[in-house]
Amino acid sequence: MTAQLPGWKSLPPGAVITRPGSTVEYKTHDWRTLRPVIDQERCIRCRLCWLYCPEGTIIELDKPYTTKTGRKYTRTYEINYDYCKGCGICAQECPAKAIKMVEEVR
Ligand code: SF4
Ligand code: SF4
């Protein structure tokens, strides 16, 4: 005798966002094996990493930074490691080679 499976009308609806913004509760960094690290001295503040990151985890801050050679910037880019998956797209796209992927240590 085979078990009776529920029909499609009995299944609960899927792919529904019941609480907008709730994904912030799910920290998605667990599967990261490589971690991107931004070298603030090399970064030219072009914003491409911010644009390309599929997780939106690169943060643009109104935080001034002056390089050792005296170049002044009004913005700083940092990474929210709670949500970064370590995909490496930011490092691949950075025109200044300012992002290095290093081994994750936990
Ligand atoms: S490694 Fe991937 S997820 Fe992490 S900051 Fe770079 S582009 Fe975003
Ligand atoms: S892509 Fe590279 S140079 Fe551009 S803002 Fe990001 S880290 Fe800086």
Side-chain angles (χ1 to χ4, degrees), residues 17-72:
I17 298 168
T18 53
R19 287 187 300 125
S22 58
T23 52
V24 78
E25 295 166 18
Y26 302 104
K27 300 199 171 162
T28 51
H29 63 282
D30 280 355
W31 60 73
R32 187 174 62 223
T33 54
L34 295 174
R35 158 187 291 248
V37 176
I38 300 177
D39 180 346
Q40 298 297 338
E41 289 291 308
R42 291 185 72 100
C43 172
I44 56 172
R45 276 65 180 173
C46 69
R47 204 188 234 178
L48 283 178
C49 54
W50 178 88
L51 185 69
Y52 277 102
C53 174
E55 297 305 316
T57 193
I58 294 181
I59 315 156
E60 185 179 77
L61 299 167
D62 289 330
K63 186 167 146 187
Y65 185 87
T66 304
T67 65
K68 288 178 189 148
T69 56
R71 187 178 288 185
K72 292 181 191 303

